[in-house]
Amino acid sequence: MRKIITATFVSLDGVMQAPGGPDEDPVGGFEFGGWTFHYWDDVMGAFIGGAFSKPFALLLGRKTYDIFAAHWPYQESGPIADSFNAATKYVTTHRPDTLSWQNSQSLGDDVVAALRLLKQEDGPDLLIQGSSELIQILLANDLIDEISLLIFPLVLGKGKRLFGSGAMPAAFKLNRSQASTTGVIMATYERAGEIKTGSFAQEQPSEAEIERRRNWK
């Protein structure tokens, strides 16, 4: 069975839009494209390299696919370029005939059903890069098994966010974490069943607490 894994750069307030450069995704008047650039160090490079160290397939929304297809096939040979170009690319698109990057295929009209079938197959894990709109679909349908976050020490205020209001409630456990020399927190979380709730309230609430609850309702 294959996992769906998302590896995402996010700000402290959860924005993931245009981390790589000003021209990457200016939709909505986003002004801070390239906000990750000055935080890069060798620790981050090793963390990201580890994510690509085993076989994977790419799972991409159409906008991210177009960004990657205009970049990676034209780069000199290197670990990431070689692995991205060789990997199978599964893409959400209404224009399957325009998928020109090698080893690309459309997920079809029913993306959720297609991904449920892919997860049941043998093969490499499905790695999401960018693709904020696709991530919302996956979160709403409880299809993400693992989340790798690189959390940058800045607040962007507005922009496309990793978690929208449609995300299905789910518990995760921390598998590993570390920090870069520039203050970026890198953490990997794995699905851990349902959310469990409890209470720190006194067994016998005070009269003031009873009144508070009454007024709240």
Side-chain angles (χ1 to χ4, degrees):
M1 184 172 178
R2 308 164 81 170
K3 291 182 180 179
I4 293 181
I5 301 169
T6 180
T8 308
F9 299 155
V10 293
S11 63
L12 289 176
D13 55 337
V15 174
M16 61 177 291
Q17 186 170 351
D23 299 318
E24 184 176 321
D25 184 7
V27 169
F30 188 71
E31 300 176 350
F32 301 110
W35 48 271
T36 66
F37 182 83
H38 293 289
Y39 293 92
W40 199 267
D41 71 356
D42 290 341
V43 180
M44 290 175 59
F47 183 88
I48 293 172
F52 302 136
S53 63
K54 59 181 181 180
F56 64 88
L58 287 171
L59 179 55
L60 303 172
R62 183 60 199 246
K63 291 178 182 177
T64 299
Y65 174 86
D66 287 341
I67 292 169
F68 282 15
H71 177 78
W72 290 113
Y74 306 98
Q75 301 306 299
E76 294 182 2
S77 180
I80 295 180
D82 291 348
S83 59
F84 274 28
N85 288 323
T88 300
K89 275 73 74 173
Y90 296 102
V91 188
T92 59
T93 182
H94 297 297
R95 296 173 287 119
D97 56 318
T98 61
L99 298 177
S100 59
W101 192 10
Q102 65 191 74
N103 304 321
S104 298
Q105 54 185 280
S106 170
L107 286 166
D109 294 330
D110 192 336
V111 172
V112 172
L115 289 176
R116 292 195 193 282
L117 288 175
L118 280 174
K119 288 187 67 173
Q120 295 300 319
E121 295 178 355
D122 293 328
D125 290 336
L126 305 166
L127 182 62
I128 308 168
Q129 297 280 285
S131 308
S132 60
E133 293 179 12
L134 173 59
I135 286 174
Q136 303 313 308
I137 295 172
L138 299 177
L139 288 172
N141 288 276
D142 197 21
L143 284 170
I144 293 181
D145 303 290
E146 188 176 302
I147 298 174
S148 287
L149 296 180
L150 284 83
I151 306 166
F152 289 72
L154 74 170
V155 172
L156 295 172
K158 67 175 184 177
K160 297 176 182 178
R161 284 176 160 76
L162 173 59
F163 294 105
S165 59
M168 182 175 290
F172 286 80
K173 65 179 181 180
L174 179 67
N175 276 351
R176 62 189 179 112
S177 64
Q178 63 185 120
S180 74
T181 62
T182 58
V184 178
I185 296 173
M186 296 160 284
T188 299
Y189 299 88
E190 186 177 87
R191 275 290 269 120
E194 305 302 319
I195 294 174
K196 299 177 182 178
T197 63
S199 176
F200 291 102
Q202 294 178 327
E203 187 174 342
Q204 297 296 326
S206 65
E207 290 297 326
E209 172 62 13
I210 292 172
E211 182 65 19
R212 183 195 70 82
R213 296 179 188 177
R214 184 182 297 119
N215 292 334
W216 187 44
K217 293 178 182 178

PDB file of all heavy atoms in Angstrom, residues 6-40:
ATOM      1  N   THR A   6       2.761  14.794   1.961  1.00  0.00           N
ATOM      2  CA  THR A   6       2.936  16.169   1.518  1.00  0.00           C
ATOM      3  C   THR A   6       4.133  16.784   2.221  1.00  0.00           C
ATOM      4  O   THR A   6       4.296  16.653   3.430  1.00  0.00           O
ATOM      5  CB  THR A   6       1.677  17.020   1.768  1.00  0.00           C
ATOM      6  OG1 THR A   6       1.915  18.350   1.311  1.00  0.00           O
ATOM      7  CG2 THR A   6       1.289  17.051   3.231  1.00  0.00           C
ATOM      8  N   ALA A   7       5.004  17.409   1.443  1.00  0.00           N
ATOM      9  CA  ALA A   7       6.177  18.110   1.962  1.00  0.00           C
ATOM     10  C   ALA A   7       6.003  19.580   1.618  1.00  0.00           C
ATOM     11  O   ALA A   7       5.984  19.942   0.432  1.00  0.00           O
ATOM     12  CB  ALA A   7       7.456  17.553   1.351  1.00  0.00           C
ATOM     13  N   THR A   8       5.842  20.425   2.645  1.00  0.00           N
ATOM     14  CA  THR A   8       5.379  21.788   2.409  1.00  0.00           C
ATOM     15  C   THR A   8       6.190  22.811   3.185  1.00  0.00           C
ATOM     16  O   THR A   8       6.488  22.617   4.364  1.00  0.00           O
ATOM     17  CB  THR A   8       3.893  21.913   2.823  1.00  0.00           C
ATOM     18  OG1 THR A   8       3.133  20.883   2.189  1.00  0.00           O
ATOM     19  CG2 THR A   8       3.328  23.259   2.429  1.00  0.00           C
ATOM     20  N   PHE A   9       6.526  23.916   2.517  1.00  0.00           N
ATOM     21  CA  PHE A   9       7.101  25.084   3.182  1.00  0.00           C
ATOM     22  C   PHE A   9       5.938  25.951   3.675  1.00  0.00           C
ATOM     23  O   PHE A   9       5.053  26.313   2.892  1.00  0.00           O
ATOM     24  CB  PHE A   9       7.939  25.904   2.206  1.00  0.00           C
ATOM     25  CG  PHE A   9       9.119  25.180   1.612  1.00  0.00           C
ATOM     26  CD1 PHE A   9       9.631  25.577   0.393  1.00  0.00           C
ATOM     27  CD2 PHE A   9       9.711  24.121   2.259  1.00  0.00           C
ATOM     28  CE1 PHE A   9      10.722  24.935  -0.175  1.00  0.00           C
ATOM     29  CE2 PHE A   9      10.804  23.453   1.714  1.00  0.00           C
ATOM     30  CZ  PHE A   9      11.313  23.860   0.499  1.00  0.00           C
ATOM     31  N   VAL A  10       5.935  26.324   4.954  1.00  0.00           N
ATOM     32  CA  VAL A  10       4.879  27.180   5.490  1.00  0.00           C
ATOM     33  C   VAL A  10       5.466  28.267   6.372  1.00  0.00           C
ATOM     34  O   VAL A  10       6.506  28.085   7.006  1.00  0.00           O
ATOM     35  CB  VAL A  10       3.828  26.382   6.305  1.00  0.00           C
ATOM     36  CG1 VAL A  10       3.041  25.446   5.428  1.00  0.00           C
ATOM     37  CG2 VAL A  10       4.468  25.638   7.455  1.00  0.00           C
ATOM     38  N   SER A  11       4.774  29.404   6.415  1.00  0.00           N
ATOM     39  CA  SER A  11       5.105  30.467   7.353  1.00  0.00           C
ATOM     40  C   SER A  11       4.490  30.133   8.711  1.00  0.00           C
ATOM     41  O   SER A  11       3.722  29.165   8.846  1.00  0.00           O
ATOM     42  CB  SER A  11       4.562  31.802   6.847  1.00  0.00           C
ATOM     43  OG  SER A  11       3.141  31.752   6.768  1.00  0.00           O
ATOM     44  N   LEU A  12       4.786  30.938   9.731  1.00  0.00           N
ATOM     45  CA  LEU A  12       4.205  30.697  11.054  1.00  0.00           C
ATOM     46  C   LEU A  12       2.682  30.773  11.033  1.00  0.00           C
ATOM     47  O   LEU A  12       2.018  30.108  11.836  1.00  0.00           O
ATOM     48  CB  LEU A  12       4.761  31.707  12.060  1.00  0.00           C
ATOM     49  CG  LEU A  12       6.223  31.536  12.470  1.00  0.00           C
ATOM     50  CD1 LEU A  12       6.647  32.678  13.392  1.00  0.00           C
ATOM     51  CD2 LEU A  12       6.457  30.195  13.149  1.00  0.00           C
ATOM     52  N   ASP A  13       2.131  31.579  10.136  1.00  0.00           N
ATOM     53  CA  ASP A  13       0.669  31.679  10.041  1.00  0.00           C
ATOM     54  C   ASP A  13       0.099  30.767   8.962  1.00  0.00           C
ATOM     55  O   ASP A  13      -1.033  30.936   8.531  1.00  0.00           O
ATOM     56  CB  ASP A  13       0.219  33.130   9.834  1.00  0.00           C
ATOM     57  CG  ASP A  13       0.870  33.815   8.637  1.00  0.00           C
ATOM     58  OD1 ASP A  13       1.952  33.374   8.215  1.00  0.00           O
ATOM     59  OD2 ASP A  13       0.313  34.809   8.149  1.00  0.00           O
ATOM     60  N   GLY A  14       0.867  29.772   8.533  1.00  0.00           N
ATOM     61  CA  GLY A  14       0.340  28.709   7.689  1.00  0.00           C
ATOM     62  C   GLY A  14       0.274  28.972   6.213  1.00  0.00           C
ATOM     63  O   GLY A  14      -0.287  28.181   5.456  1.00  0.00           O
ATOM     64  N   VAL A  15       0.878  30.077   5.726  1.00  0.00           N
ATOM     65  CA  VAL A  15       0.852  30.382   4.294  1.00  0.00           C
ATOM     66  C   VAL A  15       1.903  29.550   3.565  1.00  0.00           C
ATOM     67  O   VAL A  15       3.039  29.432   4.021  1.00  0.00           O
ATOM     68  CB  VAL A  15       1.092  31.886   4.056  1.00  0.00           C
ATOM     69  CG1 VAL A  15       1.212  32.183   2.559  1.00  0.00           C
ATOM     70  CG2 VAL A  15      -0.040  32.708   4.667  1.00  0.00           C
ATOM     71  N   MET A  16       1.518  28.989   2.419  1.00  0.00           N
ATOM     72  CA  MET A  16       2.437  28.163   1.633  1.00  0.00           C
ATOM     73  C   MET A  16       2.625  28.696   0.213  1.00  0.00           C
ATOM     74  O   MET A  16       3.302  28.078  -0.596  1.00  0.00           O
ATOM     75  CB  MET A  16       1.923  26.719   1.574  1.00  0.00           C
ATOM     76  CG  MET A  16       0.552  26.554   0.930  1.00  0.00           C
ATOM     77  SD  MET A  16       0.007  24.819   0.811  1.00  0.00           S
ATOM     78  CE  MET A  16       1.149  24.178  -0.425  1.00  0.00           C
ATOM     79  N   GLN A  17       2.078  29.843  -0.107  1.00  0.00           N
ATOM     80  CA  GLN A  17       2.082  30.356  -1.468  1.00  0.00           C
ATOM     81  C   GLN A  17       3.446  30.882  -1.893  1.00  0.00           C
ATOM     82  O   GLN A  17       4.111  31.604  -1.157  1.00  0.00           O
ATOM     83  CB  GLN A  17       1.045  31.487  -1.590  1.00  0.00           C
ATOM     84  CG  GLN A  17       0.861  32.012  -3.002  1.00  0.00           C
ATOM     85  CD  GLN A  17      -0.331  32.945  -3.119  1.00  0.00           C
ATOM     86  OE1 GLN A  17      -1.124  33.067  -2.186  1.00  0.00           O
ATOM     87  NE2 GLN A  17      -0.480  33.592  -4.254  1.00  0.00           N
ATOM     88  N   ALA A  18       3.854  30.511  -3.089  1.00  0.00           N
ATOM     89  CA  ALA A  18       5.032  31.066  -3.775  1.00  0.00           C
ATOM     90  C   ALA A  18       6.286  31.127  -2.916  1.00  0.00           C
ATOM     91  O   ALA A  18       6.893  32.185  -2.777  1.00  0.00           O
ATOM     92  CB  ALA A  18       4.702  32.467  -4.303  1.00  0.00           C
ATOM     93  N   PRO A  19       6.742  30.004  -2.361  1.00  0.00           N
ATOM     94  CA  PRO A  19       7.955  30.047  -1.551  1.00  0.00           C
ATOM     95  C   PRO A  19       9.231  30.251  -2.360  1.00  0.00           C
ATOM     96  O   PRO A  19      10.241  30.710  -1.832  1.00  0.00           O
ATOM     97  CB  PRO A  19       7.975  28.681  -0.863  1.00  0.00           C
ATOM     98  CG  PRO A  19       7.243  27.782  -1.812  1.00  0.00           C
ATOM     99  CD  PRO A  19       6.163  28.639  -2.402  1.00  0.00           C
ATOM    100  N   GLY A  20       9.188  29.947  -3.671  1.00  0.00           N
ATOM    101  CA  GLY A  20      10.420  29.897  -4.455  1.00  0.00           C
ATOM    102  C   GLY A  20      10.832  31.147  -5.190  1.00  0.00           C
ATOM    103  O   GLY A  20      12.004  31.301  -5.527  1.00  0.00           O
ATOM    104  N   GLY A  21       9.895  32.070  -5.458  1.00  0.00           N
ATOM    105  CA  GLY A  21      10.272  33.257  -6.211  1.00  0.00           C
ATOM    106  C   GLY A  21       9.089  34.158  -6.518  1.00  0.00           C
ATOM    107  O   GLY A  21       7.931  33.720  -6.458  1.00  0.00           O
ATOM    108  N   PRO A  22       9.337  35.428  -6.860  1.00  0.00           N
ATOM    109  CA  PRO A  22       8.271  36.405  -7.099  1.00  0.00           C
ATOM    110  C   PRO A  22       7.323  36.033  -8.228  1.00  0.00           C
ATOM    111  O   PRO A  22       6.154  36.419  -8.211  1.00  0.00           O
ATOM    112  CB  PRO A  22       9.042  37.689  -7.435  1.00  0.00           C
ATOM    113  CG  PRO A  22      10.385  37.503  -6.815  1.00  0.00           C
ATOM    114  CD  PRO A  22      10.677  36.040  -6.926  1.00  0.00           C
ATOM    115  N   ASP A  23       7.812  35.305  -9.236  1.00  0.00           N
ATOM    116  CA  ASP A  23       6.984  34.970 -10.396  1.00  0.00           C
ATOM    117  C   ASP A  23       6.324  33.603 -10.285  1.00  0.00           C
ATOM    118  O   ASP A  23       5.649  33.155 -11.222  1.00  0.00           O
ATOM    119  CB  ASP A  23       7.832  35.016 -11.668  1.00  0.00           C
ATOM    120  CG  ASP A  23       8.414  36.396 -11.924  1.00  0.00           C
ATOM    121  OD1 ASP A  23       7.675  37.381 -11.729  1.00  0.00           O
ATOM    122  OD2 ASP A  23       9.596  36.491 -12.308  1.00  0.00           O
ATOM    123  N   GLU A  24       6.494  32.943  -9.144  1.00  0.00           N
ATOM    124  CA  GLU A  24       5.985  31.574  -9.000  1.00  0.00           C
ATOM    125  C   GLU A  24       4.462  31.543  -8.949  1.00  0.00           C
ATOM    126  O   GLU A  24       3.828  30.753  -9.640  1.00  0.00           O
ATOM    127  CB  GLU A  24       6.571  30.948  -7.732  1.00  0.00           C
ATOM    128  CG  GLU A  24       6.192  29.498  -7.533  1.00  0.00           C
ATOM    129  CD  GLU A  24       6.876  28.908  -6.304  1.00  0.00           C
ATOM    130  OE1 GLU A  24       8.054  29.223  -6.059  1.00  0.00           O
ATOM    131  OE2 GLU A  24       6.213  28.148  -5.590  1.00  0.00           O
ATOM    132  N   ASP A  25       3.861  32.371  -8.105  1.00  0.00           N
ATOM    133  CA  ASP A  25       2.407  32.366  -7.951  1.00  0.00           C
ATOM    134  C   ASP A  25       1.947  33.685  -7.333  1.00  0.00           C
ATOM    135  O   ASP A  25       1.697  33.775  -6.139  1.00  0.00           O
ATOM    136  CB  ASP A  25       1.981  31.191  -7.058  1.00  0.00           C
ATOM    137  CG  ASP A  25       0.461  31.077  -6.936  1.00  0.00           C
ATOM    138  OD1 ASP A  25      -0.255  31.808  -7.639  1.00  0.00           O
ATOM    139  OD2 ASP A  25      -0.001  30.256  -6.118  1.00  0.00           O
ATOM    140  N   PRO A  26       1.774  34.729  -8.160  1.00  0.00           N
ATOM    141  CA  PRO A  26       1.348  36.034  -7.644  1.00  0.00           C
ATOM    142  C   PRO A  26      -0.165  36.181  -7.522  1.00  0.00           C
ATOM    143  O   PRO A  26      -0.666  37.294  -7.317  1.00  0.00           O
ATOM    144  CB  PRO A  26       1.908  37.004  -8.687  1.00  0.00           C
ATOM    145  CG  PRO A  26       1.859  36.223  -9.966  1.00  0.00           C
ATOM    146  CD  PRO A  26       2.137  34.791  -9.586  1.00  0.00           C
ATOM    147  N   VAL A  27      -0.909  35.084  -7.628  1.00  0.00           N
ATOM    148  CA  VAL A  27      -2.376  35.121  -7.577  1.00  0.00           C
ATOM    149  C   VAL A  27      -2.841  35.823  -6.307  1.00  0.00           C
ATOM    150  O   VAL A  27      -2.292  35.621  -5.222  1.00  0.00           O
ATOM    151  CB  VAL A  27      -2.947  33.687  -7.644  1.00  0.00           C
ATOM    152  CG1 VAL A  27      -4.430  33.674  -7.326  1.00  0.00           C
ATOM    153  CG2 VAL A  27      -2.701  33.087  -9.016  1.00  0.00           C
ATOM    154  N   GLY A  28      -3.877  36.654  -6.447  1.00  0.00           N
ATOM    155  CA  GLY A  28      -4.427  37.361  -5.295  1.00  0.00           C
ATOM    156  C   GLY A  28      -3.586  38.531  -4.848  1.00  0.00           C
ATOM    157  O   GLY A  28      -3.765  39.037  -3.737  1.00  0.00           O
ATOM    158  N   GLY A  29      -2.651  38.960  -5.689  1.00  0.00           N
ATOM    159  CA  GLY A  29      -1.792  40.079  -5.322  1.00  0.00           C
ATOM    160  C   GLY A  29      -0.736  39.724  -4.298  1.00  0.00           C
ATOM    161  O   GLY A  29      -0.231  40.616  -3.594  1.00  0.00           O
ATOM    162  N   PHE A  30      -0.367  38.447  -4.204  1.00  0.00           N
ATOM    163  CA  PHE A  30       0.633  38.021  -3.215  1.00  0.00           C
ATOM    164  C   PHE A  30       1.974  38.694  -3.515  1.00  0.00           C
ATOM    165  O   PHE A  30       2.490  38.608  -4.626  1.00  0.00           O
ATOM    166  CB  PHE A  30       0.779  36.502  -3.244  1.00  0.00           C
ATOM    167  CG  PHE A  30       1.639  35.954  -2.137  1.00  0.00           C
ATOM    168  CD1 PHE A  30       1.199  35.965  -0.832  1.00  0.00           C
ATOM    169  CD2 PHE A  30       2.897  35.436  -2.405  1.00  0.00           C
ATOM    170  CE1 PHE A  30       1.985  35.456   0.193  1.00  0.00           C
ATOM    171  CE2 PHE A  30       3.695  34.925  -1.396  1.00  0.00           C
ATOM    172  CZ  PHE A  30       3.228  34.936  -0.085  1.00  0.00           C
ATOM    173  N   GLU A  31       2.537  39.342  -2.501  1.00  0.00           N
ATOM    174  CA  GLU A  31       3.699  40.212  -2.702  1.00  0.00           C
ATOM    175  C   GLU A  31       5.022  39.635  -2.215  1.00  0.00           C
ATOM    176  O   GLU A  31       6.067  40.254  -2.395  1.00  0.00           O
ATOM    177  CB  GLU A  31       3.472  41.547  -1.980  1.00  0.00           C
ATOM    178  CG  GLU A  31       2.251  42.310  -2.466  1.00  0.00           C
ATOM    179  CD  GLU A  31       2.007  43.569  -1.663  1.00  0.00           C
ATOM    180  OE1 GLU A  31       2.676  43.743  -0.609  1.00  0.00           O
ATOM    181  OE2 GLU A  31       1.155  44.375  -2.068  1.00  0.00           O
ATOM    182  N   PHE A  32       4.989  38.456  -1.597  1.00  0.00           N
ATOM    183  CA  PHE A  32       6.195  37.973  -0.927  1.00  0.00           C
ATOM    184  C   PHE A  32       6.772  36.705  -1.558  1.00  0.00           C
ATOM    185  O   PHE A  32       7.413  35.898  -0.865  1.00  0.00           O
ATOM    186  CB  PHE A  32       5.912  37.731   0.560  1.00  0.00           C
ATOM    187  CG  PHE A  32       5.431  38.957   1.282  1.00  0.00           C
ATOM    188  CD1 PHE A  32       4.119  39.055   1.723  1.00  0.00           C
ATOM    189  CD2 PHE A  32       6.285  40.021   1.510  1.00  0.00           C
ATOM    190  CE1 PHE A  32       3.674  40.194   2.383  1.00  0.00           C
ATOM    191  CE2 PHE A  32       5.852  41.155   2.173  1.00  0.00           C
ATOM    192  CZ  PHE A  32       4.541  41.250   2.611  1.00  0.00           C
ATOM    193  N   GLY A  33       6.550  36.524  -2.850  1.00  0.00           N
ATOM    194  CA  GLY A  33       7.095  35.352  -3.518  1.00  0.00           C
ATOM    195  C   GLY A  33       8.604  35.246  -3.340  1.00  0.00           C
ATOM    196  O   GLY A  33       9.325  36.233  -3.531  1.00  0.00           O
ATOM    197  N   GLY A  34       9.073  34.062  -2.956  1.00  0.00           N
ATOM    198  CA  GLY A  34      10.495  33.851  -2.692  1.00  0.00           C
ATOM    199  C   GLY A  34      10.873  34.031  -1.240  1.00  0.00           C
ATOM    200  O   GLY A  34      12.049  34.216  -0.916  1.00  0.00           O
ATOM    201  N   TRP A  35       9.892  33.900  -0.344  1.00  0.00           N
ATOM    202  CA  TRP A  35      10.127  34.164   1.084  1.00  0.00           C
ATOM    203  C   TRP A  35      11.005  33.127   1.779  1.00  0.00           C
ATOM    204  O   TRP A  35      11.465  33.362   2.895  1.00  0.00           O
ATOM    205  CB  TRP A  35       8.797  34.314   1.815  1.00  0.00           C
ATOM    206  CG  TRP A  35       7.771  33.252   1.528  1.00  0.00           C
ATOM    207  CD1 TRP A  35       6.827  33.262   0.528  1.00  0.00           C
ATOM    208  CD2 TRP A  35       7.550  32.033   2.249  1.00  0.00           C
ATOM    209  NE1 TRP A  35       6.051  32.131   0.571  1.00  0.00           N
ATOM    210  CE2 TRP A  35       6.472  31.360   1.620  1.00  0.00           C
ATOM    211  CE3 TRP A  35       8.159  31.448   3.355  1.00  0.00           C
ATOM    212  CZ2 TRP A  35       5.986  30.129   2.069  1.00  0.00           C
ATOM    213  CZ3 TRP A  35       7.684  30.227   3.807  1.00  0.00           C
ATOM    214  CH2 TRP A  35       6.616  29.578   3.158  1.00  0.00           C
ATOM    215  N   THR A  36      11.302  32.008   1.138  1.00  0.00           N
ATOM    216  CA  THR A  36      12.179  31.001   1.763  1.00  0.00           C
ATOM    217  C   THR A  36      13.655  31.224   1.461  1.00  0.00           C
ATOM    218  O   THR A  36      14.524  30.645   2.110  1.00  0.00           O
ATOM    219  CB  THR A  36      11.810  29.584   1.283  1.00  0.00           C
ATOM    220  OG1 THR A  36      12.086  29.472  -0.125  1.00  0.00           O
ATOM    221  CG2 THR A  36      10.345  29.283   1.528  1.00  0.00           C
ATOM    222  N   PHE A  37      13.950  32.054   0.463  1.00  0.00           N
ATOM    223  CA  PHE A  37      15.296  32.110  -0.129  1.00  0.00           C
ATOM    224  C   PHE A  37      16.397  32.362   0.899  1.00  0.00           C
ATOM    225  O   PHE A  37      17.429  31.672   0.912  1.00  0.00           O
ATOM    226  CB  PHE A  37      15.327  33.199  -1.208  1.00  0.00           C
ATOM    227  CG  PHE A  37      16.657  33.316  -1.906  1.00  0.00           C
ATOM    228  CD1 PHE A  37      16.967  32.464  -2.951  1.00  0.00           C
ATOM    229  CD2 PHE A  37      17.584  34.263  -1.518  1.00  0.00           C
ATOM    230  CE1 PHE A  37      18.197  32.561  -3.594  1.00  0.00           C
ATOM    231  CE2 PHE A  37      18.808  34.378  -2.154  1.00  0.00           C
ATOM    232  CZ  PHE A  37      19.122  33.515  -3.201  1.00  0.00           C
ATOM    233  N   HIS A  38      16.240  33.324   1.764  1.00  0.00           N
ATOM    234  CA  HIS A  38      17.320  33.735   2.669  1.00  0.00           C
ATOM    235  C   HIS A  38      17.442  32.842   3.911  1.00  0.00           C
ATOM    236  O   HIS A  38      18.287  33.108   4.769  1.00  0.00           O
ATOM    237  CB  HIS A  38      17.127  35.187   3.087  1.00  0.00           C
ATOM    238  CG  HIS A  38      17.303  36.153   1.947  1.00  0.00           C
ATOM    239  ND1 HIS A  38      18.532  36.420   1.373  1.00  0.00           N
ATOM    240  CD2 HIS A  38      16.394  36.880   1.245  1.00  0.00           C
ATOM    241  CE1 HIS A  38      18.387  37.280   0.386  1.00  0.00           C
ATOM    242  NE2 HIS A  38      17.099  37.578   0.282  1.00  0.00           N
ATOM    243  N   TYR A  39      16.642  31.801   3.987  1.00  0.00           N
ATOM    244  CA  TYR A  39      16.708  30.899   5.143  1.00  0.00           C
ATOM    245  C   TYR A  39      17.404  29.576   4.821  1.00  0.00           C
ATOM    246  O   TYR A  39      17.581  28.736   5.702  1.00  0.00           O
ATOM    247  CB  TYR A  39      15.295  30.596   5.649  1.00  0.00           C
ATOM    248  CG  TYR A  39      14.603  31.794   6.248  1.00  0.00           C
ATOM    249  CD1 TYR A  39      13.800  32.607   5.467  1.00  0.00           C
ATOM    250  CD2 TYR A  39      14.764  32.121   7.592  1.00  0.00           C
ATOM    251  CE1 TYR A  39      13.161  33.719   6.007  1.00  0.00           C
ATOM    252  CE2 TYR A  39      14.131  33.223   8.144  1.00  0.00           C
ATOM    253  CZ  TYR A  39      13.328  34.013   7.354  1.00  0.00           C
ATOM    254  OH  TYR A  39      12.707  35.111   7.888  1.00  0.00           O
ATOM    255  N   TRP A  40      17.810  29.402   3.586  1.00  0.00           N
ATOM    256  CA  TRP A  40      18.350  28.099   3.180  1.00  0.00           C
ATOM    257  C   TRP A  40      19.704  27.825   3.821  1.00  0.00           C
ATOM    258  O   TRP A  40      20.541  28.710   3.921  1.00  0.00           O
ATOM    259  CB  TRP A  40      18.481  28.055   1.665  1.00  0.00           C
ATOM    260  CG  TRP A  40      18.576  26.650   1.159  1.00  0.00           C
ATOM    261  CD1 TRP A  40      19.697  25.935   0.918  1.00  0.00           C
ATOM    262  CD2 TRP A  40      17.479  25.790   0.869  1.00  0.00           C
ATOM    263  NE1 TRP A  40      19.379  24.675   0.478  1.00  0.00           N
ATOM    264  CE2 TRP A  40      18.014  24.564   0.451  1.00  0.00           C
ATOM    265  CE3 TRP A  40      16.097  25.937   0.928  1.00  0.00           C
ATOM    266  CZ2 TRP A  40      17.219  23.481   0.084  1.00  0.00           C
ATOM    267  CZ3 TRP A  40      15.307  24.869   0.567  1.00  0.00           C
ATOM    268  CH2 TRP A  40      15.864  23.663   0.150  1.00  0.00           C
TER     269      TRP A  40
END
